[in-house]
Amino acid sequence: MHKKTLGTLAILALAGLGLAQNQVWTMATPYPDGNFHTINIREFARDVEAATQGRLSIRVNSGGSLLPHPQILPGVRSGQIQMGEVLISLLSNENPVFDLDTIPFLVSSYEEALRLYQVSRGEIENWLSRRGMTLLFSVPWPGQGLYTRQPVNSVADLRGVRFRAYNRATARIAELTGMVPTQVEAADIPQAFATGIVAAMITSPSTGVDSQAWDFTRYFYDLRAWIPKNMVFVSRRALDSLSPADREAVLAAARRAEERGWRASQQEAASKTAILAQRGMRVLQPSPQLTADLKKVGQTMTEEWLRRAGAVGVNIYRAYLGR
Ligand code: PCA
């Protein structure tokens, strides 16, 4: 009897410290299972589970199945779920810094994309932190290219085309080139093309393959016009409820996931472009005229961005340029 009471007390004490219970975090991403971001996140989840010896597991809900993209960050913020992934630039109305990685031709390589990330990471972290969330890691998509049904030699060929946008910047590109933008989530691309809501898009080879772009477009122009990033973040309350050792294990796994993700993204750029070609798409370099036209759009958008960026944004932009 005495022994049993002691045992019960010990269990209660452990439970009180939060040590006896295993935790499960619910995580939501808008992107599908086969996508390299999701594969990387699942590996992060396995890594965390192993490192915490099962004290923390993460349930990944892909493809917008749990929450639609715009609801993921509010869901983590309110504590409805513990962890989420979003396209950073989806939040560009909240903070101009979230827009920087979708300005055409501001960065033209992964090296530059990494530099842009390094100078803007602090502001992204602060923004999340002020809302009770912690940045875990951020991984870029491969460079963005143009998918069309007809050949395109200059921006004039795009006039009047119905264009799939995925954030503020892509909608603005459409406006500046005389196209007609409609916001469509990645998961809804095939349907939007099938029903004629859109007839062209700019996105990565990865999303092109995810959505089987060869079913509804014929040309892929490998613009590499910008390198947008996703971010994976967690509710600070959830993170703080872990023991210090487990919290450090999560953050260490996040650092590994970030490195892995940047490598995977660069491999994707080549391997998924090859799949587009294998599936019969014409994979082409943009004509000098098309590039020049889009660079002009990029200049206009940079000027517009600087006007609404505020001091913090302008400083980040200057730090990126190195002045
Ligand atoms: N894929 C996502 C965002 C950028 C990308 O390459 C999309 O098209 O929605």
Side-chain angles (χ1 to χ4, degrees):
M1 188 63 194
H2 185 60
K3 247 186 181 168
K4 199 175 161 196
T5 311
L6 276 179
T8 308
L9 280 176
I11 286 167
L12 283 175
L14 284 173
L17 290 168
L19 297 176
Q21 287 157 325
N22 291 346
Q23 280 204 41
V24 179
W25 287 355
T26 299
M27 192 271 172
T29 171
Y31 301 110
D33 264 335
N35 185 273
F36 78 100
H37 287 287
T38 314
I39 292 169
N40 191 36
I41 289 164
R42 288 195 189 280
E43 192 165 343
F44 167 77
R46 280 194 298 275
D47 199 1
V48 163
E49 191 157 345
T52 62
Q53 289 160 338
R55 287 183 296 275
L56 173 60
S57 38
I58 298 166
R59 222 168 267 152
V60 178
N61 298 272
S62 61
S65 58
L66 187 63
L67 289 173
H69 199 172
Q71 294 308 317
I72 290 177
L73 188 130
V76 174
R77 189 177 179 182
S78 70
Q80 185 190 357
I81 59 175
Q82 287 72 45
M83 220 179 114
E85 177 183 48
V86 300
L87 183 73
I88 295 179
S89 54
L90 193 77
L91 304 167
S92 55
N93 288 334
E94 306 273 346
N95 186 334
V97 169
F98 295 148
D99 242 345
L100 253 185
D101 68 8
T102 45
I103 293 182
F105 299 109
L106 182 62
V107 312
S108 53
S109 65
Y110 276 96
E111 224 169 63
E112 289 180 357
L114 183 60
R115 200 146 53 81
L116 183 61
Y117 177 44
Q118 284 163 345
V119 298
S120 50
R121 181 182 175 125
E123 174 60 14
I124 297 169
E125 283 175 335
N126 289 341
W127 188 91
L128 286 170
S129 173
R130 286 195 293 271
R131 288 155 185 81
M133 294 171 281
T134 300
L135 178 67
L136 287 174
F137 55 94
S138 175
V139 168
W141 291 89
Q144 307 285 291
L146 173 66
Y147 296 75
T148 60
R149 291 183 169 157
Q150 311 293 337
V152 174
N153 292 309
S154 71
V155 151
D157 294 337
L158 293 170
R159 190 153 283 283
V161 171
R162 287 185 300 279
F163 182 75
R164 179 253 168 175
Y166 62 71
N167 62 7
R168 173 194 176 121
T170 45
R172 186 67 186 135
I173 289 168
E175 284 167 11
L176 290 169
T177 55
M179 295 190 284
V180 184
T182 304
Q183 175 91 16
V184 175
E185 282 301 328
D188 303 326
I189 290 173
Q191 208 194 347
F193 276 89
T195 55
I197 293 170
V198 296
M201 63 180 174
I202 297 182
T203 185
S204 57
S206 312
T207 296
V209 170
D210 287 345
S211 58
Q212 308 199 321
W214 48 85
D215 287 343
F216 46 79
T217 58
R218 207 171 133 59
Y219 296 86
F220 176 70
Y221 294 94
D222 195 6
L223 304 172
R224 304 185 192 192
W226 63 94
I227 298 182
K229 295 182 297 296
N230 287 353
M231 64 177 175
V232 175
F233 50 94
V234 62
S235 137
R236 191 166 52 231
R237 203 203 278 175
L239 194 59
D240 285 350
S241 73
L242 302 173
S243 70
D246 285 353
R247 201 177 314 142
E248 186 40 48
V250 169
L251 298 176
R255 288 191 289 273
R256 288 192 288 275
E258 186 162 278
E259 276 176 31
R260 213 168 44 229
W262 280 74
R263 274 200 308 274
S265 180
Q266 295 178 63
Q267 287 157 6
E268 282 271 309
S271 65
K272 294 292 157 86
T273 305
I275 292 178
L276 295 177
Q278 277 160 26
R279 294 301 188 128
M281 291 196 69
R282 305 274 319 268
V283 173
L284 301 166
Q285 292 307 308
S287 71
Q289 185 62 55
L290 180 58
T291 302
D293 288 350
L294 289 172
K295 284 201 165 146
K296 221 188 229 162
V297 169
Q299 265 165 27
T300 303
M301 286 175 61
T302 303
E303 284 157 21
E304 290 175 351
W305 185 86
L306 282 166
R307 279 200 288 278
R308 66 186 165 83
V312 173
V314 171
N315 283 338
I316 288 170
Y317 177 74
R318 286 214 184 110
Y320 168 70
L321 295 179
R323 27 176 147 104

